[in-house]
Amino acid sequence: WENAITQLEFIRKEDINYRAADIDGMIYIALRFRGIQKILAGNLEPGIYDLTLSERFAPLDKDAEGYRSWARYYLTGSSFWEIDWASVVQIFGEIYPNLPNLRDGSGWTAQERFRVGSIRYAEQLAQEGNWCDARYHYQQAIALAGDEALFATATAIQLLCEPPAPTQTPTPEQSPTPSETPTLEQSLDPTETSTPEPSATQS
């Protein structure tokens, strides 16, 4: 595509009227494919520029417009890196399911930016005491790739989000208290014994 554009530009400089419609169409196609090629190679801004130039000759098709939109969105997401982790997770969470290997000049793919962004955002939430949201973002990162240290951290956060129910200690059963049995002294108490009165003696 590079050579095609160079030769087409040379022809145009030699004679601007020579098969103008055909040259315009070929320049459009060459810029369109070179732009996409650059985007997929990690040269996002130059690729966006080529696609914008191609629009001078004809409207972009759906696929080309899609690549340009995702490239622009990637650049927006990377501008929040280490500044706003919530925005990083939100933006790259939309990009990576569609173009997981989309990257910029740093070599960071959209999927890896989402994974690392999820970990950093989870750490931020944990520092704020927001355990359950932190757990969710740790799980998002682990679903893509994880290591033992991340598993241990996620497990600790899980216990803080949903602590185990406390174990109840069983109380010993109390034997029933027997009812009181009167003592011998109580049963022989003269105050409680009735004495029969003597019968009257006849004179």
Side-chain angles (χ1 to χ4, degrees), residues 3-201:
N3 289 333
I5 292 170
T6 300
Q7 295 302 318
L8 290 167
E9 288 176 344
F10 174 77
I11 295 171
R12 175 137 293 174
K13 287 178 182 178
E14 289 293 311
D15 185 353
I16 196 170
N17 295 316
Y18 176 74
R19 300 180 64 173
D22 291 338
I23 298 296
D24 284 351
M26 286 189 283
I27 291 176
Y28 166 81
I29 291 172
L31 285 171
R32 185 256 189 207
F33 280 99
R34 189 178 73 171
I36 293 174
Q37 189 177 64
K38 287 180 178 179
I39 288 172
L40 293 177
N43 301 315
L44 301 185
E45 291 177 341
I48 292 169
Y49 180 69
D50 275 356
L51 292 177
T52 303
L53 287 179
S54 70
E55 279 187 307
R56 296 179 180 180
F57 302 95
L60 285 176
D61 60 276
K62 183 179 179 181
D63 289 342
E65 181 59 55
Y67 279 113
R68 183 172 65 172
S69 297
W70 288 122
R72 286 174 171 169
Y73 205 31
Y74 183 107
L75 293 172
T76 300
S78 62
S79 70
F80 289 110
W81 197 257
E82 295 186 354
I83 298 172
D84 183 348
W85 291 117
S87 295
V88 168
V89 171
Q90 185 264 320
I91 291 172
F92 286 102
E94 295 179 30
I95 297 173
Y96 95 85
N98 297 281
L99 289 173
N101 293 318
L102 183 65
R103 64 187 188 277
D104 61 1
S106 69
W108 283 72
T109 64
Q111 179 170 302
E112 186 64 6
R113 282 194 182 272
F114 174 74
R115 188 186 74 84
V116 175
S118 296
I119 295 171
R120 297 292 176 263
Y121 189 39
E123 291 172 350
Q124 176 185 319
L125 292 168
Q127 289 175 356
E128 297 169 358
N130 196 341
W131 311 118
C132 293
D133 284 348
R135 174 190 63 177
Y136 171 77
H137 290 287
Y138 274 124
Q139 290 173 342
Q140 292 285 93
I142 290 172
L144 295 175
D147 52 44
E148 291 185 5
L150 192 58
F151 290 142
T153 302
T155 301
I157 294 296
Q158 166 68 26
L159 292 174
L160 289 168
C161 172
E162 296 182 359
T167 306
Q168 293 184 350
T169 304
T171 55
E173 295 184 2
Q174 295 182 350
S175 54
T177 305
S179 58
E180 286 191 16
T181 304
T183 61
L184 180 62
E185 288 78 6
Q186 289 176 331
S187 60
L188 296 178
D189 188 347
T191 59
E192 295 183 2
T193 306
S194 58
T195 304
E197 292 183 2
S199 57
T201 305

